[in-house]
Amino acid sequence: MTLTIRNASKTYPDGTRALLPTDLTVGEGEILSLLGPSGCGKTTLLRIIAGLETPDAGTQVRFDDEDVTRLAVERRNVGMVFQSYALFPNMSVRANIGYGLKVRKVPRAEREQRVDEVLALCRLGDYAERAVTALSGGQRQRVALARAMAPRPRILLLDEPLSALDAALRDSLRDELAAMLRQFRITAVFVTHDQAEALAIADRIAVMSQGVMQQVGRPEELYREPVSSFVARFIGNAMPLPGTIADGHLILPGGRLPLAAGTSDAEVFVRAEDVHLDEAGPLSGTVETVAFSGGHYRIGLAGVTGETLFATHPGRQAPRPGDSVRLRIDAGDLLVLPQDRS
Amino acid sequence: MRLTLPRLLQLAVTLLTAAFLIVPAIQSILAGLTVNYFRGLSSGFTLRWVGEVWRLYADSILLSMGLAVACLGVTLVIGVPAAYALAKNPGRLSRILEEFISLPLAVPGLALALALLQLYGSMTGFRTSWTFILVGHVLYTLPFMVRSVLAVLMAMDLKSLEESAATLGASTVTRFRTIVVPNAMPGILAGALTVVTLSIGEFNLTWMLHTPYLKTLPVGLADSYASMRLEIASAYTLVFFVMIVPLLMAMQWATDRAQRISR
Amino acid sequence: MANRTFIGLCLLPLAVFSLAFLALPLVRLVMASSEGTEGWGIYLQILQTPRYLQTLLQTVLVSLAVSVVALAISTTAGLFLARNRFPGRGALLSVLTLPLAFPGVVVGFLIILLGGRQGLFNTLLPGHVVFAYSLLGLFLGYLYFSIPRVLLTVMAATEKLDPALEEAARTLGASPYRVVFDVILPGLAPSLVAAGAIAFATAMGAFGTAFTLATDIDVLPMVIYTEFTLSANIAMAAALSVLLGLATWVLLLLARSFAGATVAAGG
Ligand SMILES: Nc1ncnc2c1ncn2[C@@H]1O[C@H](COP(=O)(O)OP(=O)(O)OP(=O)(O)O)[C@@H](O)[C@H]1O
Ligand SMILES: [Mg+2]
């Protein structure tokens, strides 16, 4: 199913403009992640798709060719995994998963068969008769997913499905969830504020900030070609290089960097892995901190920009704090973005 | 437990209080079972007075049981949906409404009964039927049902549960039936036991609302205290204890359980 | 069915019931109080009639005494039961809370068994010890009725007190007495006020107990009852009821805004 959203916006009764007019299309079988900091309107958009929130006038939500904007949530046939999972405490795992089929009056035999199928897909067979209160966090998450999938929804919506788990579990379940979503082959919208989660699970990522859709694209696109400083900072933690631009160069406290011709009135960013220690480099700085993190060193450098600039150094040896070093940043690695209006 | 002087004093107060509460109750049980209370226990034990009570007051006892069941039915039908509606809209208006229906807890039953009599006393058919007493009982017990269910509903994540049921295709009515009511069960049970216990013991309103042909158990008790010999009055009280004490214990158990869930 | 419609339907039975059997009757009661020869002046008349004034005073005094004594006893016993574990504690607790379900009439009868003509005291003690039908008997009846309610409130509040506060006071060198007066009682104060108010309001309106014991004593519920049934002075009965209901309601409202829950059972 293809989801098409046109001009979606939401103003809460207290006047909060949680979502400013937004367009979005999610293709057949595509997994799209809504990514953004807390309070940016991700849940609001997801709930508008589900039909749990009435959007402002002018909004249009289409499932394939059908306009569902005014369709009640219980008729939309969406599957939703809630942040808290919202499993029904009065029912067993099996009854939870079968609930959607039961309220649709699917005959018992067919229902049981479908539930068994989903139980197997989500590796919950051993827990079918348990009370949902007697499950671990990871198991609950799988029950929530199985319950949402059992009625064969047209679209699957997930609101931070991993955030209720503790950090260690979250990492291992991320890949598992990604694999399960792929095997379902369903159109899915997945809300998260964790970029690692979005990168691991999504086909495309929609980055939001303060109710505005900033950029939608494949992970590589967002990483390599962010359209705004917000996206650059949010995806891959790009660091600003605040300096003055004069005759084709960026002038920093630690030296000058050549820019593409005609650049003016722009913000320049760079990522730590694109800052190289190079004795012949045009920039100079002083090592402030050195942290070893497995495959590489993360080196904090003073004196290059006004703030600390970080470099990822893959070598076997690292300079020591206090050392003076020279640096190189290749022109192609600079992210040159228009000034933020705000 | 180390026995220090203050502890001993506390213990003494506690024991004396317990004696004050239990001694007359035991007296009434014994008096209801002895042949002649004035002559003392040596006159022997008998179930004669209990039999006498049944002969004299069976109607009252049965009426009270019927009223309690009817009262439970009405408070369930009115109270459970109302608690749900109040839980869904936890606004100022809901608080005021809850406060208003709780008025019968604060205003003495006598005053409420007078109010009912003023308005409906002249509608003879209604005034002389058992439903008039039922109205009084529902008035008094309804706030307990509403509050008990409301407390459990407020403690659970009603919004998410209902929303997830809705995305799974459940209509409003189906959600109420399959999600709300089953999960509110501990509160409903506690409320139900409270309603039955209170209805069986209700006197203040009932005394004013009853007619000579419709006497509830407590009205019959007052009647026996005024006009029967001590043994019969005691035996009747004993019958009342046998009915009310298990109910009270069940009610306390259910209320504790519901409160543990709401916490 | 739309959500709002369903919620409206859920509230409908409650709305109809409480309008028909609570709101309208109460309005009618207030109106009825003005339908005597005095009109609204009846409230002034109450304040100018010595008998009513004395009844009011007597009711307030008895109720006040009951709440103070019930508080003292229940706090002592409640703290003891909440803070100590010993064999028989459960049974003691049951004995102290079972009367919760006894209606006022039954309590009245139990007081007669203690202090009536065939009562325990009169048969065991020499001389003529009959107190059931005096003010003392009424006081004891109200006390019997109040103790379980106040006790439960106190124990619930004690369980909510943070034991760390007491331990902190002890480590700072406070004696057990000081701990009671500096930590425990201040911590319980809101609940005690609430429980006292409940006891007071209950005693003010107690009809069942008074009905069995106070045949010769003027307390407000009995006066209302006799005005209504014997004198057929409907307006006066209504006016006194309005005053009584207003007083207990305001009192309980104040108490609840001061602290938490109500314990009530038995009629
Ligand atoms: N019912 C509501 N009434 C008023 N304001 C609301 C309501 N729900 C959300 N908001 C506001 O709308 C904005 C967007 O909220 P939303 O829940 O969509 O954010 P989110 O991106 O999902 O955040 P999070 O990551 O914290 O879940 C926030 O400023 C929030 O405070
Ligand atoms: Mg959210």
Side-chain angles (χ1 to χ4, degrees), chain A residues 319-341:
Chain A
R320 274 194 289 274
D323 288 358
S324 291
V325 291
R326 295 202 71 82
L327 309 162
R328 165 174 61 82
I329 300 176
D330 298 332
D333 292 336
L334 288 176
L335 304 168
V336 181
L337 301 170
Q339 282 284 4
D340 227 358
R341 282 163 304 277

Side-chain angles (χ1 to χ4, degrees), chain C residues 87-104:
Chain C
R89 176 182 175 275
L92 206 51
L93 197 58
S94 305
V95 166
L96 289 168
T97 52
L98 273 188
L100 212 54
F102 297 175

Side-chain angles (χ1 to χ4, degrees), chain B residues 68-86:
Chain B
V69 171
C71 182
L72 174 60
V74 177
T75 49
L76 282 175
V77 168
I78 298 182
V80 176
Y84 168 72
L86 292 177

